[in-house]
Amino acid sequence: EDQVTQSPEALRLQEGESSSLNCSYTVSGLRGLFWYRQDPGKGPEFLFTLYSAGEEKEKERLKATLTKKESFLHITAPKPEDSATYLCALSYSGAGSYQLTFGKGTKLSVIP
Amino acid sequence: SAVISQKPSRDICQRGTSLTIQCQVDSQVTMMFWYRQQPGQSLTLIATANQGSEATYESGFVIDKFPISRPNLTFSTLTVSNMSPEDSSIYLCSVAPPAGGAGGTQYFGPGTRLLVL
């Protein structure tokens, strides 16, 4: 069973059409949940870190939220430049101190 | 956040050969990490490289196949040895800033795209 599951695998939106990406996890002892953006041919770019249920972080058109078993990345009025793969990762007490466990990502395409 | 560079950015290699990937950071960091990203798969941690100590390898990865050096607080290398086509992947280094601690944010380099023929 995957410890981190991202859905959907791919999402196609019209420009301006808001939506949410999901990251659900089965581990216990969460230390932190991380969202990254990865453009083709590049390394992951850090977006947000969330540490406890109820926490929210915002940056431009993106808002990340965290509950006890999942996180959402909300995208408001997306633009074509938001097209990328969005990765979710966890740090938790059952793994190495600095180990990040990644989901497979959601590939977002925003159509003009 | 730290600025991280990797060399080479991409390479095509023949099976049975070895490739050494370099990772350079613009500030001193204790914790550096090497990840592999295979097509359609999640990023997977290969090993943790601390300056002044042996690298710590994750399950499924061994030092003979992926030797790592960490000569100082701004530089590390990962060698992919005796390569096979299954080693074709993106290899990424990352760093954890000192203030982050366990569970802290990691920042990634641009990656090295390796194709083994």
Side-chain angles (χ1 to χ4, degrees):
Chain A
E1 179 187 359
D2 288 346
Q3 295 164 314
V4 185
T5 303
Q6 291 190 246
S7 61
E9 290 184 11
L11 181 62
R12 195 176 163 94
L13 299 174
Q14 291 292 321
E15 183 173 2
E17 179 187 3
S18 301
S19 187
S20 296
L21 313 182
N22 178 262
C23 172
S24 63
Y25 56 93
T26 58
V27 304
S28 301
L30 183 74
R31 292 199 194 102
L33 186 143
F34 309 88
W35 282 99
Y36 291 86
R37 167 189 171 132
Q38 187 173 26
D39 293 298
K42 296 189 177 182
E45 174 190 346
F46 170 71
L47 294 174
F48 304 109
T49 303
L50 302 168
Y51 290 109
S52 57
E55 190 174 359
E56 300 182 351
K57 296 273 180 74
E58 283 189 70
K59 179 181 178 180
E60 296 181 356
R61 294 177 293 282
L62 301 176
K63 179 180 177 180
T65 63
L66 179 64
T67 70
K68 286 190 176 179
K69 284 300 176 186
E70 60 187 348
S71 176
F72 292 93
L73 184 65
H74 307 277
I75 303 176
T76 302
K79 299 181 178 182
E81 53 262 41
D82 294 322
S83 298
T85 296
Y86 290 84
L87 302 174
C88 168
L90 307 179
S91 173
Y92 64 102
S93 57
S97 296
Y98 291 89
Q99 181 176 357
L100 293 185
T101 302
F102 278 83
K104 293 183 179 180
T106 293
K107 184 175 182 180
L108 175 66
S109 301
V110 182
I111 313 303
Chain B
S1 64
V3 177
I4 306 167
S5 60
Q6 287 185 231
K7 290 181 180 179
S9 59
R10 61 179 66 237
D11 208 340
I12 301 173
C13 300
Q14 297 297 318
R15 67 174 66 207
T17 63
S18 298
L19 176 71
T20 295
I21 302 168
Q22 300 178 4
C23 179
Q24 179 77 50
V25 190
D26 69 341
S27 58
Q28 293 186 337
V29 292
T30 303
M31 310 296 295
M32 293 183 76
F33 311 89
W34 287 98
Y35 285 81
R36 182 173 71 181
Q37 187 175 28
Q38 294 181 303
Q41 300 299 313
S42 313
L43 273 80
T44 302
L45 181 64
I46 297 171
T48 300
N50 293 343
Q51 196 272 334
S53 64
E54 296 291 321
T56 303
Y57 290 82
E58 298 301 314
S59 176
F61 298 97
V62 295
I63 187 171
D64 290 345
K65 176 67 176 177
F66 298 101
I68 288 171
S69 76
R70 182 77 201 275
N72 57 53
L73 290 173
T74 63
F75 187 79
S76 178
T77 67
L78 169 76
T79 298
V80 186
S81 303
N82 188 25
M83 287 183 287
S84 67
E86 292 71 34
D87 295 317
S88 298
S89 186
I90 300 172
Y91 292 86
L92 296 147
C93 71
S94 74
V95 302
T105 301
Q106 292 182 21
Y107 299 93
F108 285 81
T112 295
R113 279 140 200 83
L114 171 62
L115 176 63
V116 184
L117 302 177

